[in-house]
Amino acid sequence: MKKQIYTQIEKLLAYGVQKKLLPLADVDYSRNQLLDRLGLDAPMIQETLPETNEPIYDILAPILDWAAENGLLEANTVTYRDLFDTKLIDALLPRPSTVIDHFFFMCEQQGPQAATAAFYQFCKDAHYIRTDRIALNESWLAPTPYGDLEITINLSKPEKDPVAIAAAKKVAPSDYPKGLLAKENVGFAGRATHPARQNLRLIPVTLGNEQWYMQFSPYVYYEEHAIVLFEKQRPMQITADTFTRLLEFVQQYTHYFIGSNADLPIVGGSILNHDHYQGGKHTFPMAKAPLKKAFTLKGYPTIKAGIVKWPMSVIRLASADPASLQAAATAILSAWKTYSDPSLDIYANSDGTPHNTITPIARNKSGMFELDLVLRNNRTTKAHPLGLFHPHADVHAIKKENIGLIEVMGLAVLPGRLKQELAELATVLPSANAAEQIEQNEAIAKHKEWALSLKEQKPNLTTANVEALLKQEVGRLFTSVLSHAGVFKDTDSGEAGFIRFLKKSDLI
């Protein structure tokens, strides 16, 4: 076994060289770093590094097994294996300044698109983006009246580690780094309550005369899933400056979209305590949606504006002039923040607590800039205690969590439990006694109403087509999720309410 560990070390070094993470001149240094981290002495060095086409996770697995057997891991669980393998990978990687210099050199020589593509590949090669786990996600397109929505069952995030959870209770609380998005995560060794980040690298970006940083999400949901974070800890806030920053970003990175989660609970994202945006190289279903009603904004005759044909309430602005877009978006935000329409259960605040905000998304289409402004409201009621404009109880079996930026744009990120639940439904639904079997199965009983409704609507449902029909139905349910989150519904009365808002706010 000891001979094998030395063989794996050489494979790891070869991998680093082949992926251009590690210059040949640094191999001896990196080998010694690996030996130290593994508690080994003199290596068994071959004359040349071995040829290997193995992916990084296959090279690391035997090393982690050996480390566990030799007491180098606190426990042989996903959490502690991740902490240790990141420490090993760090020995192969260039310093952050080198990565930054290379990124901007590529920007100058080949352009931003080539630079971000190379940086994305680096993050995958460095195992920051764990491609083996991303591959576990299940995805499909679901046809709907709003086009094909994108459905993903998220299987890439490891399940909660009970050993790490127990250990975390014994660890003294720490506020360093200040959350998962703090720039100080670069190089951080991690702990049971915080992932290791020695393989994280950030690219500086100037937005609105402020220092921001770009990285990729370790759990990518689409191509080049980027996160742009402010250099300091401050709460999410949608203001006029937000539109300035988003539009500046798509002027620098013309091949990317960028958007922000809303800044209020329920309608915002999962991290509201650190100002950040998400972007990337992907065209979401909402971006493909047409306008269902065009209008001209007062004071902005050169801006093409309209209401998007979408289950949520979206105003789209388009212009070649970013400054005019920023001003118009600011006017809409200001009007929406104070707008109420009791006939549609829309109230701007309750006892001084604000409810209205916006989820904005920016794009650059060959010099024509687009801003999508999604109107949000986070009010709760007795009938809907989790949120009136939030997934209602009848769809909680599919989606109960907040509808953030990614879902708003038409990509459903659904919980991993659904994979097994849909498989069990597919097994029992074609049966004559499907209702009884569903009721008796605790895992799928929550799906009973919509699943049996599907069976009734599809008399041709069989074991051969049930899986495809279930996937289509999940798409329909996700459409309902988005509709619940829309403040002005895609109905005649909803459209009338939308126009009423624009007129009463003196926007048109």
Side-chain angles (χ1 to χ4, degrees):
M1 186 66 180
K2 197 165 185 179
K3 181 179 180 181
Q4 183 188 9
I5 194 65
Y6 288 120
T7 300
Q8 292 305 117
I9 289 172
E10 296 303 303
K11 283 185 179 181
L12 194 56
L13 293 167
Y15 173 90
V17 171
Q18 288 171 16
K19 296 298 183 181
K20 299 182 180 179
L21 303 173
L22 178 66
L24 276 171
D26 291 340
V27 166
D28 288 335
Y29 172 85
S30 293
R31 180 184 288 113
N32 287 327
Q33 290 293 305
L34 289 168
L35 292 172
D36 179 61
R37 294 168 201 196
L38 289 164
L40 294 169
D41 295 322
M44 297 171 61
I45 303 176
Q46 303 175 20
E47 289 188 9
T48 59
L49 290 172
E51 290 289 330
T52 178
N53 294 316
E54 291 182 67
I56 183 71
Y57 43 85
D58 283 348
I59 297 172
L60 287 167
I63 301 177
L64 295 172
D65 292 341
W66 182 89
E69 291 170 9
N70 286 270
L72 298 181
L73 305 185
E74 188 165 333
N76 192 16
T77 65
V78 172
T79 297
Y80 292 104
R81 288 172 74 95
D82 285 1
L83 289 171
F84 197 76
D85 73 10
T86 308
K87 180 189 294 188
L88 298 178
I89 293 163
D90 180 49
L92 308 179
L93 302 182
R95 286 184 175 269
S97 58
T98 302
V99 175
I100 292 169
D101 289 345
H102 180 68
F103 179 88
F104 285 111
F105 175 79
M106 285 204 69
C107 275
E108 291 176 6
Q109 298 297 314
Q110 301 180 44
Q113 186 164 345
T116 56
F119 182 46
Y120 187 59
Q121 187 61 49
F122 168 85
C123 293
K124 291 192 287 187
D125 292 339
H127 209 37
Y128 178 72
I129 297 172
R130 294 177 180 259
T131 55
D132 54 326
R133 292 182 185 164
I134 305 301
L136 298 174
N137 290 343
E138 293 200 354
S139 302
W140 67 89
L141 296 177
T144 77
Y146 301 95
D148 288 344
L149 298 186
E150 300 173 358
I151 312 296
T152 295
I153 295 180
N154 176 24
L155 301 165
S156 58
K157 288 188 179 181
E159 293 182 7
K160 291 183 179 179
D161 181 346
V163 176
I165 292 171
K169 293 178 181 178
K170 303 174 184 177
V171 177
S174 173
D175 63 354
Y176 182 84
K178 292 184 180 294
L180 294 173
L181 297 182
K183 70 180 181 64
E184 291 80 14
N185 277 286
V186 174
F188 184 62
R191 51 180 175 263
T193 56
H194 194 107
R197 289 292 185 253
Q198 290 108 319
N199 53 356
L200 169 65
R201 298 294 183 265
L202 303 177
I203 303 299
V205 184
T206 302
L207 300 174
N209 297 316
E210 293 180 333
Q211 186 62 67
W212 292 66
Y213 292 90
M214 178 170 63
Q215 66 174 73
F216 289 113
S217 168
Y219 300 107
V220 294
Y221 294 128
Y222 52 85
E223 188 177 2
E224 297 186 33
H225 180 174
I227 299 173
V228 181
L229 54 106
F230 186 52
E231 65 172 337
K232 298 176 184 176
Q233 186 88 358
R234 73 179 179 196
M236 294 280 293
Q237 192 174 13
I238 304 298
T239 67
D241 291 337
T242 304
F243 306 129
T244 298
R245 296 183 202 114
L246 299 183
L247 289 164
E248 282 189 8
F249 183 87
V250 294
Q251 289 175 74
Q252 296 177 51
Y253 297 95
T254 59
H255 59 298
Y256 273 8
F257 83 90
I258 189 170
S260 175
N261 273 306
D263 53 355
L264 294 178
I266 297 176
V267 295
S270 57
I271 302 178
L272 294 180
N273 63 350
H274 197 129
D275 209 359
H276 71 284
Y277 310 130
Q278 293 184 78
K281 189 181 176 184
H282 186 69
T283 303
F284 283 85
M286 191 176 80
K288 303 173 187 176
L291 297 182
K292 69 175 180 179
K293 187 171 184 64
F295 55 81
T296 300
L297 284 170
K298 284 186 178 179
Y300 303 96
T302 62
I303 291 179
K304 181 182 178 182
I307 298 170
V308 179
K309 177 65 176 176
W310 195 244
M312 295 186 71
S313 308
V314 188
I315 297 172
R316 178 169 294 161
L317 308 177
S319 173
D321 178 19
S324 65
L325 280 183
Q326 189 271 354
T330 301
I332 292 170
L333 173 65
S334 179
W336 176 242
K337 278 189 168 184
T338 59
Y339 185 76
S340 295
D341 186 340
S343 70
L344 296 176
D345 283 329
I346 297 170
Y347 293 90
N349 65 79
S350 298
D351 300 323
T353 300
H355 294 312
N356 288 353
T357 187
I358 280 176
T359 298
I361 301 104
R363 308 178 196 92
N364 185 337
K365 294 188 172 180
S366 302
M368 179 64 74
F369 298 94
E370 266 187 8
L371 264 181
D372 279 356
L373 306 175
V374 189
L375 308 183
R376 312 298 301 274
N377 178 287
N378 78 340
R379 192 167 73 88
T380 61
T381 65
K382 287 184 179 180
H384 301 287
L386 298 183
L388 175 60
F389 301 105
H390 175 85
H392 292 177
D394 60 321
V395 294
H396 282 179
I398 295 295
K399 181 72 173 176
K400 187 176 182 180
E401 299 79 13
N402 293 5
I403 301 305
L405 174 67
I406 294 173
E407 286 91 358
V408 163
M409 295 185 291
L411 194 166
V413 182
L414 303 179
R417 61 175 171 79
L418 275 179
K419 178 179 181 179
Q420 183 60 34
E421 291 169 7
L422 291 177
E424 292 187 32
L425 282 171
T427 299
V428 304
L429 205 55
S431 306
N433 65 338
E436 182 181 347
Q437 290 192 61
I438 292 173
E439 287 175 356
Q440 293 174 352
N441 186 328
E442 185 179 351
I444 60 175
K446 57 182 168 289
H447 299 293
K448 177 184 174 182
E449 186 175 342
W450 70 263
L452 293 180
S453 175
L454 173 65
K455 182 178 175 68
E456 185 178 345
Q457 295 170 29
K458 304 289 184 180
N460 62 334
L461 186 148
T462 65
T463 55
N465 64 15
V466 64
E467 183 177 336
L469 290 173
L470 282 170
K471 287 184 173 181
Q472 287 181 19
E473 188 67 2
V474 169
R476 186 193 69 79
L477 291 168
F478 181 58
T479 306
S480 295
V481 164
L482 296 181
S483 178
H484 294 166
V487 290
F488 298 113
K489 307 306 181 188
D490 186 21
T491 60
D492 290 344
S493 61
E495 184 175 325
F498 213 145
I499 298 300
R500 192 159 58 244
F501 157 64
L502 296 170
K503 288 182 175 178
K504 284 190 174 182
S505 301
D506 203 30
L507 293 168
I508 61 174

